Amino acid sequence: MQKVLWGVDRFSTWIGKLFAWLVVVLTALITWEVFSRYALNHPHAWVLDAQIMLYGTMFMTAGAYTLSKNGHVRGDVLYGFFRPRTQAAVDLTLYIVFFLPGIVALTWAGWTYANESLAIREQTFSAEALPLYPFKFMIPLAGAVLLLQGIVEIVRCVLCLREGAWPRREDDVEEVDVDKLKEMVNVRDEDIEALDHLVVTKDRA
C-alpha cells in the first residue's frame, strides 16, 4: 500500500515540477515584452493573455503537488494539538464533505467547459487572438490529478485511524534548518549575540 501511495505522490510531484518550468517561459516572455514595448516601441496585444494562461496553468497544476507534500495552509491553532487519530478523523470528514464534492464538480464541469470551448474553437478577445481551448483543458487535467491525490490522502487518513500514526511521506524539498546551517558554518549563538552587541554599540556611538 505504501508503494502505491508514494507512486501517486511521485506522479503529483512530477506534474507539479513539470509545469513549474512555465515560470521560466513566463519570465522570458515578460522580459521580452518589456524590452519590445519600451525599447522598440512595439507592444504585442496577445502577450497579456498568454501571461494569464501560463500563470493560471502553473497555479492549477501546483495543487496536487502541494497536497502530496501536505503543504496546503490549514488553521491549525487547535489541529496541531490533536492526536494523530483525531487529526485523521477531522481530515477525513473534511475530505468527504468538502473536498470530494468540490473537486469532482470542478473536474466534471471543467471537462464540459473545455469541450464546449473546443467545439467553437474559442479565442481570446484581443486584437491578436490566441486559442483559448488548450488552456481550458488544464482545468479538468488539474482537477483529475488533484482528485487522485485527494483519494491517496483519504487512504492515509484511514491508515492513521487504524494504526494511530500518520504514514510516512517521501522526502522532497525541505525548509532550511537553521540549527544545521549554524553547525555547517561553525557559528554559535554566542557569536551572533556578540555581533549583535557590537552592531548596537557602533550605532549608539
Side-chain angles (χ1 to χ4, degrees):
M1 177 61 72
Q2 189 74 333
K3 290 183 179 180
V4 175
L5 300 182
W6 284 357
V8 176
D9 287 347
R10 292 190 195 107
F11 177 69
S12 297
T13 300
W14 181 80
I15 291 289
K17 289 183 175 180
L18 175 65
F19 284 96
W21 283 100
L22 289 178
V23 74
V24 178
V25 179
L26 188 58
T27 302
L29 179 63
I30 294 173
T31 303
W32 172 73
E33 175 61 13
V34 169
F35 176 78
S36 180
R37 178 183 295 269
Y38 293 104
L40 305 179
N41 195 27
H42 184 62
H44 302 83
W46 58 269
V47 170
L48 178 60
D49 292 327
Q51 291 174 20
I52 294 171
M53 288 189 284
L54 287 172
Y55 178 76
T57 299
M58 187 171 57
F59 179 82
M60 288 188 295
T61 53
Y65 168 81
T66 307
L67 185 59
S68 71
K69 306 305 175 190
N70 197 28
H72 284 289
V73 176
R74 63 158 56 96
D76 59 354
V77 176
L78 297 177
Y79 181 92
F81 293 99
F82 293 160
R83 295 178 179 178
R85 277 200 173 97
T86 307
Q87 291 177 342
V90 171
D91 285 356
L92 184 60
T93 302
L94 295 177
Y95 275 121
I96 293 174
V97 174
F98 295 106
F99 179 88
L100 285 180
I103 300 303
V104 168
L106 170 69
T107 307
W108 182 269
W111 178 252
T112 304
Y113 190 47
N115 276 284
E116 290 175 351
S117 179
L118 174 62
I120 62 173
R121 298 297 191 271
E122 187 177 7
Q123 296 181 330
T124 57
F125 296 96
S126 66
E128 300 171 358
L130 293 177
L132 192 54
Y133 53 88
F135 166 67
K136 289 190 174 179
F137 273 101
M138 290 295 105
I139 301 173
L141 172 64
V145 178
L146 186 56
L147 180 60
L148 177 62
Q149 185 62 47
I151 292 172
V152 166
E153 298 307 315
I154 289 174
V155 173
R156 284 194 168 102
C157 291
V158 173
L159 292 176
C160 183
L161 286 171
R162 189 178 66 186
E163 299 173 5
W166 285 106
R168 192 171 68 86
R169 297 176 186 267
E170 282 191 310
D171 295 330
D172 184 39
V173 179
E174 296 182 356
E175 297 294 332
V176 175
D177 189 321
V178 177
D179 292 329
K180 288 183 179 179
L181 186 60
K182 288 178 182 178
E183 183 180 346
M184 185 174 64
V185 297
N186 197 25
V187 173
R188 299 172 301 172
D189 291 336
E190 293 82 1
D191 299 327
I192 297 175
E193 291 176 2
L195 182 60
D196 289 342
H197 178 71
L198 180 62
V199 171
V200 171
T201 303
K202 286 186 175 180
D203 287 342
R204 289 177 179 176

